[in-house]
Amino acid sequence: MRRHAGIMSHQSIIFTTIIAAGLSMPLQAQTALKDAYKDYFHIGAAINAAYSNGSNAEGAALVKAQFDSITPENDLKWERIHPTPQGFNFEPADRYVEFGERNHMFIVGHCLVWHSQTPRWVFEDDKGQPVAREVLLGRMHDHIAAVVGRYRGRVNGWDVVNEALNEDGTLRKSQWQRIIGDDYIAKAFEYAHEADPKAELYYNEYSLENEPKRKGGVELIRKLLAQGVPVAAVGLQGHYHMDWPEMAQVDATIAAFQALGVKVSITELDMDVLPAVRSGHSADVSAQAEGGANSNPYTAGLPAAQQQALADRYAALFRVFLKHRDAVTRVTFWGVTDRGSWLNNFPARGRTNYPLLFDREGKPKPAFDAVVGAARTAQ
Ligand code: GLA
């Protein structure tokens, strides 16, 4: 179910053209992702500044053609937009929002309160000591008022709190939690709502597909809703692997949050196809690892069998999302092409990964056809 009918895309068909023997002829008419899913949910991509400031024109054209929602990969994170106490850097964020408006997209703000990519000064006084609760609440308030307030009525939804939970479902002892206490989450939502009462507000998290963390997440959202905190949707980041999670876990996770009365979005979808370089499947950004000798097997290209396995897994995943289309409002990929994916450098640096639907040249992969095909056969 789409909630923003006003931004529905017009039908757009891309013609793949070959130029051979002086002839230019349309080879195949290819349905765009956003059109295949227009009756179901938004299809988004995380983009960086090059897409919105004109320097990657080809990439921008691909995003315009295929997606009807955007998320800023980094430009609205605290360290980028508010690097020093008095210093805001709104320029890339302004371009990002303008790009979304120009192309009639559902624009996401990411992210207001997180333990990572937040400057140290936020938590410290001028002697480097942790500030008091009231000081940190004041800084959080002013940051949210400035950032959300600037784009009031223009950014459609905000990831208000990102990654507040540990793998066992307890609250992460982040600086936010240590200094303010457990109510920092409710406060962040309160401030965001005050800054833009019409924006949708989200709680965004990884690995909720695992039962202990999911239980903690359900408990957290239940409590927030009981206090009247306006959580519109839970974001499942969707940093997946070929062997995790099982479809039944995704299915159960969407159902568990829907049962609380919130919507669900898949907010950072990608599929790591490379061998694991550490145990577990966490998207914990602090966990960099060393890649061993066999950890980067596809530098010359993804073999056909793996390409097909990736396509099959994406199709299965989208069938689960489609099954839950009453709950799912948006599926956003974390990046546009394989070339730009963070998974070439995480958890080990310098590998060649293939996690998205478009290859290094921006051409659709078999996984793209599989995702479009899943929509065609939706029951
Ligand atoms: C988390 C964050 C994203 C991004 C990814 C890694 O999932 O929410 O903003 O930093 O890690 O790229």
Side-chain angles (χ1 to χ4, degrees):
M1 276 263 294
R2 306 184 64 138
R3 283 166 299 156
H4 293 272
I7 62 165
M8 214 168 269
S9 64
H10 57 92
Q11 183 72 18
S12 69
I13 306 278
I14 305 172
F15 289 99
T16 311
T17 304
I18 56 159
I19 305 196
L23 288 175
S24 170
M25 62 176 190
L27 255 195
Q28 56 174 134
Q30 193 182 73
T31 305
L33 289 170
K34 63 178 181 182
D35 294 322
Y37 282 87
K38 70 178 189 308
D39 294 334
Y40 306 130
F41 35 74
H42 291 295
I43 300 282
I47 61 172
N48 56 43
Y51 284 85
S52 39
N53 68 15
S55 59
N56 180 1
E58 222 177 304
L62 182 60
V63 171
K64 276 191 243 180
Q66 295 288 339
F67 300 93
D68 65 2
S69 176
I70 48 171
T71 298
E73 188 168 357
N74 285 299
D75 290 329
L76 273 82
K77 289 175 179 170
W78 196 312
E79 67 177 12
R80 295 286 182 98
I81 202 165
H82 192 179
T84 60
Q86 309 309 331
F88 285 90
N89 173 26
F90 287 123
E91 155 76 29
D94 287 355
R95 297 292 88 76
Y96 163 78
V97 174
E98 286 161 10
F99 179 82
E101 287 182 323
R102 221 168 32 244
N103 297 299
H104 314 289
M105 291 166 156
F106 185 88
I107 304 172
V108 178
H110 171 86
C111 51
L112 297 171
V113 172
W114 189 25
H115 64 274
S116 181
Q117 293 187 261
T118 304
R120 281 176 56 179
W121 65 259
V122 174
F123 307 104
E124 293 178 354
D125 64 17
D126 47 17
K127 296 186 186 63
Q129 295 303 306
V131 291
R133 167 182 159 92
E134 292 310 321
V135 174
L136 188 53
L137 277 174
R139 288 180 182 172
M140 180 202 268
H141 174 272
D142 294 351
H143 173 80
I144 292 176
V147 175
V148 176
R150 183 176 181 93
Y151 303 111
R152 182 181 171 120
R154 301 174 68 199
V155 166
N156 302 88
W158 286 94
D159 289 333
V160 178
V161 175
N162 198 26
E163 305 180 348
L165 294 164
N166 294 313
E167 301 290 335
D168 67 0
T170 59
L171 277 191
R172 184 192 285 270
K173 300 277 174 228
S174 66
Q175 304 261 57
W176 295 110
Q177 191 278 341
R178 283 177 203 274
I179 296 174
I180 296 175
D182 293 356
D183 66 338
Y184 84 89
I185 301 172
K187 289 287 184 196
F189 277 85
E190 185 188 308
Y191 299 155
H193 186 60
E194 178 186 297
D196 187 349
K198 294 218 175 94
E200 293 181 354
L201 305 181
Y202 314 129
Y203 175 72
N204 195 47
E205 183 62 270
Y206 63 85
S207 295
L208 288 170
E209 294 78 2
N210 293 336
E211 208 171 333
K213 193 163 184 178
R214 184 193 319 150
K215 281 191 173 154
V218 165
E219 227 14 73
L220 172 66
I221 301 301
R222 192 201 306 281
K223 274 194 210 145
L224 291 171
L225 293 173
Q227 291 164 37
V229 176
V231 183
V234 169
L236 309 182
Q237 290 187 356
H239 292 299
Y240 293 152
H241 297 249
M242 292 302 288
D243 62 351
W244 178 89
E246 290 171 16
M247 292 306 137
Q249 291 176 277
V250 179
D251 186 279
T253 307
I254 298 173
F257 287 105
Q258 183 178 23
L260 295 178
V262 292
K263 298 290 183 184
V264 175
S265 298
I266 316 304
T267 54
E268 306 186 12
L269 183 59
D270 49 23
M271 192 75 66
D272 189 341
V273 303
L274 296 180
V277 290
R278 53 184 186 146
S279 59
H281 293 108
S282 171
D284 185 342
V285 286
S286 64
Q288 277 285 340
E290 287 301 317
N294 302 319
S295 74
N296 191 20
Y298 308 131
T299 51
L302 191 64
Q306 277 76 11
Q307 195 77 262
Q308 190 56 47
L310 177 69
D312 292 347
R313 189 155 163 78
Y314 261 121
L317 201 49
F318 272 78
R319 284 197 290 271
V320 176
F321 301 155
L322 283 160
K323 174 185 166 195
H324 291 287
R325 57 188 177 247
D326 285 350
V328 174
T329 57
R330 171 170 57 92
V331 176
T332 291
F333 291 85
W334 202 246
V336 181
T337 71
D338 286 344
R339 186 188 299 278
S341 168
W342 73 302
L343 290 175
N344 295 308
N345 291 300
F346 179 88
R349 291 196 185 281
R351 298 195 299 169
T352 307
N353 216 328
Y354 300 85
L356 297 168
L357 303 188
F358 297 94
D359 69 13
R360 287 179 155 63
E361 276 65 56
K363 299 277 177 302
K365 295 157 61 176
F368 170 95
D369 298 325
V371 167
V372 169
R376 282 209 190 101
T377 57
Q379 311 276 316

